[in-house]
Amino acid sequence: MKDLGIWDIVVVGGGLVGTATALGMARDGARVLILDASDTSFRASRGNFGLVWAQSKGANSRDYATWTRSAVRAWPDLQDELRELAGVDTHYETGLGLHLCLGAAEFDKRAAMIGRVAAHELPGDDVRMIDRDELAGLMPGIGPEVSGASVSSLDGACHSLALYRGLSLAAQQAGATLMSNIAVTAITPEDAGYRVDADGLCARAGKVLIAAGLATNDLARPFGFPEIVLPQKGQILVTERSAPVLPAVTSGLRQTAEGTILIGDTKEETAEDRSTGAGMRQLASRAVRLFPAIGNLRIVRSWAALRVLTPDGHPVYDESPTHPGIFVATTHSGVTLAPAHRGPLAQWIMNGQRPPEFASFTAQRFQQPN
């Protein structure tokens, strides 16, 4: 057994949540070890759509709405830091985000949800519904079935793989140590802290952050946490490169800096992560109905990935009720919330500065009654 020594904190999981939080902790002087599992693991960090998105977050939770919007506003600072520390440009763009609706029923359903978000009356939040005529002025070329959209100036997108790379490199530049292809097998209380065993290695730390995606349940269960995460498959199509045809980022269509158009995404309650013909047909059909010009482009590839969801869709940031120093962090919004993870989340774990929103993000809300 190779002993990796003593650290302030061991982060279990090297995805978007783990590396963003590690960046914040290392930047503030903590000795951080990140243990990341194999490249064959289910990885939402490599399969997401890359939206930096607030408009649909928090319809049923003011805390989630506030937390998301504070993260989105901090995105320019994160982008600057990743350029400085890692030399990575995430191609972050913002200023106009749209969710397009097909038909009256979709429009009415979206309007009801956006109404609940707007009712929070959050400072600077301008999310609203627009009709087809106003939408056509913002996005010429929409299909005849498009009835309108929700719109927000806060929303945008980034290159999600660049973000993933940038967070990993920046965390290491800030002083964190990353070890890849290392699967954690056990976390054990020892003396005043914890021992983490992983593939013939061991490390000791006063604190452990479990940010292991779909592996979180098994690792967190011994420390008094209920079942927290569950999988949901999403599929995405990618077109050939094209001259700019989409003047705005939408929640289902967006053009990358390279010119390809991403078409997404499905929501399938399954734990398998393969692309399917049915899913691809569903995505292609909707895309052409939303924006007919896309029908002239060839599909060059597709992928599927598993979202890491909680039962209510909101994040979990919590400390073990039985073992102080064991923390869990999980969310399906690892791109949008990255600035909050490298800021307030990291500060809470290391210094006890608990954001007020965390009262709504405890794992114990999923505890089943005895």
Side-chain angles (χ1 to χ4, degrees):
M1 179 73 67
K2 181 179 179 181
D3 193 335
L4 299 176
I6 299 174
W7 306 79
D8 292 323
I9 185 163
V10 173
V11 178
V12 182
L16 292 174
V17 175
T19 53
T21 312
L23 168 59
M25 296 186 293
R27 186 186 57 183
D28 289 344
R31 294 168 297 165
V32 182
L33 173 64
I34 308 168
L35 298 178
D36 194 25
S38 73
D39 285 345
T40 58
S41 302
F42 290 125
R43 286 188 182 273
S45 295
R46 291 181 178 167
N48 66 74
F49 202 64
L51 294 179
V52 179
W53 211 251
Q55 64 174 266
S56 55
K57 307 292 177 58
N60 300 314
S61 170
R62 183 181 177 86
D63 283 341
Y64 190 23
T66 301
W67 180 246
T68 304
R69 283 150 184 80
S70 65
V72 169
R73 291 189 178 93
W75 241 94
D77 292 338
L78 174 63
Q79 167 72 328
D80 290 344
E81 186 170 21
L82 296 185
R83 286 197 185 108
E84 179 183 348
L85 287 178
V88 172
D89 184 354
T90 68
H91 300 285
Y92 171 57
E93 57 178 317
T94 188
L96 181 62
L98 297 164
H99 176 91
L100 308 184
C101 301
L102 289 173
E106 276 193 21
F107 186 91
D108 291 346
K109 181 178 179 180
R110 185 74 178 182
M113 187 271 288
I114 293 299
R116 296 196 300 274
V117 174
H120 296 315
E121 297 183 344
L122 300 175
D125 191 8
D126 61 358
V127 62
R128 63 190 179 96
M129 298 298 297
I130 59 176
D131 62 20
R132 176 183 172 83
D133 289 343
E134 186 173 354
L135 174 60
L138 297 173
M139 196 169 183
I142 55 174
E145 298 176 77
V146 176
S147 50
S150 57
V151 59
S152 170
S153 67
L154 292 178
D155 294 336
C158 73
H159 192 309
S160 60
L161 292 180
L163 172 64
Y164 185 26
R165 178 172 178 266
L167 287 172
S168 180
L169 291 175
Q172 294 174 79
Q173 285 294 112
T177 297
L178 170 65
M179 299 188 68
S180 299
N181 295 310
I182 303 293
V184 170
T185 54
I187 304 170
T188 310
E190 185 177 274
D191 300 327
Y194 299 92
R195 170 177 166 148
V196 180
D197 291 298
D199 290 344
L201 308 174
C202 71
R204 293 170 176 82
K207 297 178 179 180
V208 177
L209 170 62
I210 301 171
L214 292 173
T216 293
N217 286 340
D218 290 342
L219 292 169
R221 191 178 299 112
F223 301 102
F225 289 101
E227 299 294 292
I228 298 170
V229 298
L230 49 90
Q232 183 190 73
K233 183 170 79 171
Q235 298 186 53
I236 292 175
L237 299 179
V238 186
T239 72
E240 63 183 321
R241 297 185 182 189
S242 164
V245 294
L246 294 176
V249 175
T250 85
S251 57
L253 301 171
R254 74 178 192 86
Q255 194 158 15
T256 67
E258 297 85 3
T260 60
I261 294 175
L262 303 186
I263 302 170
D265 51 16
T266 63
K267 293 177 173 62
E268 304 171 52
E269 306 306 325
T270 177
E272 64 87 17
D273 67 343
R274 293 175 298 173
S275 295
T276 64
M280 288 188 279
R281 285 191 295 272
Q282 174 186 332
L283 291 172
S285 172
R286 182 176 178 85
V288 172
R289 292 167 68 195
L290 291 172
F291 203 79
I294 289 178
N296 298 322
L297 300 175
R298 292 173 295 180
I299 300 297
V300 296
R301 63 183 180 275
S302 69
W303 71 75
L306 295 179
R307 297 181 184 88
V308 182
L309 292 178
T310 63
D312 62 7
H314 299 168
V316 168
Y317 312 116
D318 208 354
E319 186 174 12
S320 165
T322 58
H323 293 77
I326 297 288
F327 297 85
V328 164
T330 187
T331 176
H332 78 283
S333 296
V335 172
T336 299
L337 296 177
H341 296 155
R342 80 109 157 60
L345 175 61
Q347 291 160 14
W348 169 60
I349 292 172
M350 296 311 302
N351 304 316
Q353 300 170 12
R354 183 181 176 88
E357 294 91 348
F358 281 17
S360 296
F361 301 149
T362 66
Q364 301 311 310
R365 69 187 189 268
F366 304 127
Q367 187 73 56
Q368 296 296 318
N370 294 327

